[in-house]
């Protein structure tokens, strides 16, 4: 009768109503008609959420630091994973000007939501975008997550394999591994 969501909670466990009311994930089962968790292109109003998500990873040196201004200028390259109006994941695809290739960058998922294949779903969406742009390859430069990237079908390559525009920007101090994936036509 017009209710957007209904929550089913247990009466046998103490505190379930409070968990359901005051935590994002609750403790029961939610039936909903709206988009509770979705992947979509990022918008300018997502910048604070993306900064909150990637900030801790930047401070640890896992991700390259991005200023608010840079992120605002590059927002069209980003895809976000949103859960109940909270940005819980992001990824970026930077097309390269001198090759039919793009760089997958800034892949991050909130620690509480890292199970369930969310990063893989973000990657699949970015791959779809790359194919729409008629890119033939996708590169990743990483210092920490090479194992996960390889599991997603990427293979190790040398810095010399990068297109000239990206190779010129390679930061030898970070010593990132270069991985590449051929995209299906």
């Amino acid at each position: 009768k017009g209710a957007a969501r209904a929550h089913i909670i247990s009466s046998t466990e103490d505190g379930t109503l409070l968990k359901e009311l005051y935590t994002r994930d609750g403790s029961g089962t939610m039936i909903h008609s709206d988009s509770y968790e979705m992947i979509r292109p990022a918008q300018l109003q997502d910048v604070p959420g993306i900064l909150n998500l990637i900030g801790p990873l930047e401070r640890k040196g896992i991700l390259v630091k991005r200023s608010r201004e840079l992120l605002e200028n590059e927002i069209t390259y980003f895809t976000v994973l949103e859960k109940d109006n909270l940005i819980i994941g992001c990824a970026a695809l930077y097309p390269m000007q001198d090759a039919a290739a793009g760089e997958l960058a800034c892949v991050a998922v909130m620690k509480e939501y890292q199970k369930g294949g969310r990063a893989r779903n973000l990657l699949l969406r970015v791959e779809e975008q790359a194919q729409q742009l008629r890119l033939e390859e996708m590169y990743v430069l990483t210092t920490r997550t090479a194992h996960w990237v390889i599991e997603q079908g990427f293979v190790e390559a040398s810095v010399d394999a990068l297109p000239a525009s990206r190779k010129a920007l390679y930061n030898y101090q970070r010593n990132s591994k270069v991985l590449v994936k051929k995209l299906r036509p």
Side-chain angles (χ1 to χ4, degrees):
K1 296 199 177 206
R5 298 179 184 179
H7 300 260
I8 303 167
I9 57 173
S10 172
S11 62
T12 61
E13 187 180 326
D14 285 340
T16 56
L17 180 59
L18 292 174
K19 283 182 189 174
E20 193 64 33
L21 291 173
Y22 295 109
T23 65
R24 182 164 304 279
D25 293 320
S27 65
T29 301
M30 178 174 50
I31 301 165
H32 54 90
S33 62
D34 58 350
S35 298
Y36 185 66
E37 185 172 310
M38 63 188 216
I39 297 176
R40 61 171 176 76
Q43 302 167 351
L44 268 177
Q45 62 263 30
D46 297 324
V47 169
I50 295 170
L51 287 170
N52 284 338
L53 177 65
I54 66 175
L57 299 171
E58 291 174 340
R59 286 188 288 281
K60 291 179 182 175
I62 296 169
L63 292 178
V64 174
K65 180 92 172 103
R66 288 171 174 78
S67 68
R68 180 183 197 93
E69 294 76 23
L70 180 64
L71 193 53
E72 288 172 354
N73 289 330
E74 296 181 344
I75 198 67
T76 58
Y77 298 132
F78 278 77
T79 298
V80 294
L81 173 57
E82 179 184 57
K83 182 172 185 165
D84 202 20
N85 299 316
L86 176 69
I87 303 300
I88 64 167
C90 69
L93 174 64
Y94 292 94
M96 297 180 190
Q97 302 303 319
D98 59 338
E103 181 181 352
L104 173 67
C106 203
V107 178
V109 175
M110 235 182 216
K111 188 174 180 98
E112 301 87 339
Y113 298 103
Q114 288 180 354
K115 302 292 182 198
R118 289 177 175 92
R120 174 143 176 78
N121 290 339
L122 276 166
L123 171 62
L124 291 174
R125 179 63 62 90
V126 170
E127 283 184 15
E128 288 173 13
Q129 294 168 353
Q131 290 173 336
Q132 289 170 359
L133 293 171
R134 301 196 190 296
L135 302 182
E136 297 170 6
E137 297 177 316
M138 204 160 50
Y139 290 88
V140 172
L141 281 73
T142 183
T143 58
R144 304 268 178 107
T145 59
H147 61 284
W148 181 82
V149 176
I150 289 169
E151 288 172 5
Q152 308 313 310
F154 287 76
V155 295
E156 283 195 57
S158 69
V159 174
D160 292 330
L162 290 168
S165 63
R166 184 60 184 95
K167 184 178 174 184
L169 298 173
Y170 182 82
N171 182 343
Y172 286 91
Q173 289 179 329
R174 279 184 61 84
N175 196 28
S176 298
K177 287 188 178 185
V178 177
L179 298 113
V180 63
K181 182 176 186 177
K182 302 284 185 196
L183 299 174
R184 290 176 276 142

